[in-house]
Each structure stands twice: as C-alpha cells, then as structure tokens.
Amino acid sequence: MAEERYIVEKTIDRRLVYIIIGASIVLALGVSTFFLLNVRSHKLTLLDRAVSVNDFDNAIYLFNELYRTNPLDKNIIKSGIALHYARMRYATNEDARYTSAEKAVSFVRQMMLIDWRLTRDPKAYAILGRAYEFRGQTFFDDAIECYERAVALGDTSVDTRVRTGVLCYTQGRFGNAVTHWEYAFDRVREGKSEIRITDDVRYLLGHAYAGASNYGKAIDYFTGLAQSTIDASYTSYIHADLGLWCFRQGLYPESEYHFKTALSLDDKNPRTYYNMAFLYKKMNRIGDARRALERSLWIDKKFLEAEIALKRL
C-alpha cells in the first residue's frame, strides 16, 4: 500500500511540475508578447510624430526597424504609406522624394494584397495616382488610371479632378481633360470646394476644347475668359488663340479683331503675326500678309516657318 501511495504521489507531483512549467511558459510568452506589442505601439507613435513634423530621417529609421521584423503588419504598412507619401510631397531632396514615390506605390499595392477592402478605397487610388504622377511622364497613364479609379469609387475631390485633367491634357486626351476640368469648375462654382483653380488650368481648358475639335465651345469659353478676372498676362494669348480658332471656323472679321487685340497688348509675339499672315492671305490681302510675315521675322530672325511662308507668298 505504501509503495502504491508513493507511485501515485510521484505521478501527481510530476503532473504538477508539468502544469507549473507550462503555466510559466504561457505566462512568459504572454508577458513577452505584451511587452513587444507595447514597444511596437510606442515606436508607431514615435513614427507618426516624426512624420507629422517632417522629420523623415528618424521616421525612415523607425519604419525600417518595424517593417524588418513585421513585414505583414497592417498598421506598420499603413504607417509606411503615410511616411513615404508625406516624404514624396515635402522632402527637400529630389532623389528622396522620387524614392518615396516608388515606395508609396509598393506599399499601397502590398496593402491591397493583404486587405482586399483597400481595393475599394478611393483614397488608396488617389495616393497611387499622386505617386505615379510624381514619377514623371513615363507613368502618367498609370496615374490617370488610378485617379479615374478613385473617381469611379466616389472621390469627389476637386484636386483629384484637376490633376487628372492636367495629365489627360498632357497625354493628348483632350476630351477626358474637358470632362474632369468641367466637373472641378462646377464644384468650385457651386461652393462645394474651397480649392482655387489656377489661371493656368482655366487657360488650358480652352485649349482642351480646341484639342477635342470643339472650336465653337473654345471660342465661347475664351471670349468669356477674356472678360473675366484672369491675370492680364494671359489676355494677349487668349486673343491670339481666339484669332486662330475664329480663322479655322471661317470667321475672318472676328479673327482679325482678335489678332489685332492680341498685338495691341503684346506686339512682340512673332507667332501672332505669323498666324495673322495666313488670315490675310486667305482674305487675298497679300500686301498685309507680307508685312505681317516681315514683322514676324524682324522680331525673331530665326523663325524658319515665317521665312519659308514669306518665300512662298
């Protein structure tokens, strides 16, 4: 009996030891995990603070340390996106900005693979669009695709539409540029955005109409623009463009009026005299055409097109 009791007690003692050891391991793991999570949370807080004050060197150091140990952690990747998006926009070193544009694309794409909900987030595509845009004209089509995806998912930002319009215009997609810019102008006109659309974009919209072969709309728009609050430095260009577009529409008296108005504001533009010469030739006013071309060449002696036109007159 004594021997049996000894065996039972020994078995119980052994089990108790195992339980204590197991509990100790679990407790140690729990404490370790809690500690690591606290450290990670603290570092993420420091990272966000560094980004908020554009302290990108420290932010990069903290992010790389976090990402190296937890490359699939959503919060870390989100912080990486915020870091590189901010660095792309505000860093003073151009190479650093370009590198961050690449990184922003990479981390947004990675996040989309980890969390499919991000593929339905217009903000994610707006960030991608901005990063591709920053990387230069080689990536403009990618930027347009991302911006337009953001719009399709509900992005109503005037900034997104203006940027998309500029990229479409640069890529020769004038109809798309018109669509995006008209939307942006309507939002501003309705008081739904505090963003001010620059005179550059207001001017380019007229050229987008013309680029889409809608000369009637271009003429109407620029006629109104010439009488608006646009900076006076644009006015001569507006009238010079109106002269050209009216000429293409067969509106010769109107064309002459706008060319002369443009020259009264800036008589040092050889291109205006050059275009005016074609109007005069069309009106069979050869002497006026010759004088316009001679004036164009007097302003710019290397204006080869005017020289050739004068020889052919």
Side-chain angles (χ1 to χ4, degrees):
M1 284 295 291
E3 185 179 347
E4 289 179 1
R5 187 166 61 246
Y6 171 75
I7 294 172
V8 170
E9 289 176 354
K10 187 176 181 181
T11 302
I12 292 172
D13 290 344
R14 187 180 299 161
R15 289 176 179 173
L16 186 59
V17 170
Y18 290 156
I19 290 171
I20 292 171
I21 292 172
S24 299
I25 292 172
V26 171
L27 180 61
L29 288 173
V31 170
S32 176
T33 301
F34 178 76
F35 176 75
L36 288 174
L37 287 175
N38 273 349
V39 169
R40 186 186 309 171
S41 177
H42 180 63
K43 286 184 177 180
L44 282 171
T45 301
L46 292 175
L47 170 57
D48 292 340
R49 287 177 184 170
V51 172
S52 70
V53 295
N54 294 347
D55 183 4
F56 297 123
D57 290 340
N58 280 326
I60 289 288
Y61 173 79
L62 288 165
F63 173 74
N64 288 342
E65 191 175 67
L66 286 164
Y67 186 73
R68 188 164 48 249
T69 54
N70 300 278
L72 298 179
D73 186 288
K74 293 180 183 179
N75 290 326
I76 293 174
I77 298 172
K78 287 179 181 177
S79 292
I81 293 169
L83 160 62
H84 286 291
Y85 185 61
R87 188 171 179 242
M88 175 193 77
R89 297 174 68 189
Y90 303 121
T92 55
N93 183 286
E94 200 68 19
D95 290 337
R97 296 179 68 195
Y98 191 87
T99 299
S100 280
E102 293 177 325
K103 293 285 188 181
V105 170
S106 176
F107 288 129
V108 172
R109 293 295 189 192
Q110 181 185 0
M111 193 65 188
M112 285 179 170
L113 291 174
I114 295 173
D115 187 350
W116 66 269
R117 289 172 299 181
L118 209 65
T119 63
R120 307 293 300 171
D121 185 351
K123 291 181 181 178
Y125 285 101
I127 290 173
L128 281 174
R130 189 73 175 268
Y132 279 126
E133 178 187 350
F134 184 83
R135 293 174 70 182
Q137 191 161 3
T138 303
F139 296 93
F140 279 1
D141 286 334
D142 297 300
I144 292 169
E145 182 182 347
C146 290
Y147 278 141
E148 291 188 335
R149 180 64 175 159
V151 168
L153 290 171
D155 186 344
T156 59
S157 164
V158 167
D159 181 66
T160 297
R161 289 304 190 100
V162 169
R163 288 180 175 279
T164 311
V166 171
L167 292 172
C168 287
Y169 183 88
T170 302
Q171 296 299 88
R173 293 156 64 170
F174 301 115
N176 295 63
V178 166
T179 299
H180 290 295
W181 282 338
E182 284 185 336
Y183 175 90
F185 278 49
D186 288 342
R187 295 281 294 183
V188 172
R189 196 178 300 115
E190 294 165 4
K192 294 179 179 178
S193 173
E194 295 181 357
I195 293 177
R196 180 184 177 276
I197 296 177
T198 66
D199 286 343
D200 282 343
V201 173
R202 295 172 70 196
Y203 176 73
L204 288 176
L205 176 57
H207 280 272
Y209 286 129
S213 298
N214 192 345
Y215 291 109
K217 182 72 174 179
I219 291 169
D220 289 342
Y221 174 74
F222 258 17
T223 300
L225 194 61
Q227 301 167 359
S228 72
T229 57
I230 195 167
D231 190 280
S233 62
Y234 288 88
T235 309
S236 65
Y237 294 107
I238 289 172
H239 281 288
D241 292 330
L242 280 169
L244 182 60
W245 297 339
C246 286
F247 170 68
R248 289 174 176 171
Q249 292 294 96
L251 304 172
Y252 300 145
E254 292 87 346
S255 175
E256 183 177 16
Y257 164 78
H258 286 297
F259 280 139
K260 285 184 174 180
T261 302
L263 291 171
S264 71
L265 296 166
D266 176 15
D267 63 353
K268 299 293 189 296
N269 190 329
R271 177 65 62 174
T272 304
Y273 284 106
Y274 173 77
N275 289 332
M276 200 176 187
F278 283 91
L279 168 67
Y280 287 143
K281 182 179 180 182
K282 191 73 175 180
M283 297 171 73
N284 204 31
R285 292 164 57 179
I286 305 302
D288 288 332
R290 184 179 300 279
R291 281 187 288 275
L293 288 171
E294 288 172 346
R295 179 67 176 175
S296 177
L297 283 168
W298 182 82
I299 297 169
D300 182 1
K301 295 178 173 55
K302 296 181 180 180
F303 194 174
L304 184 60
E305 292 167 282
E307 185 178 342
I308 292 172
L310 184 60
K311 289 178 180 178
R312 292 178 175 176
L313 197 62

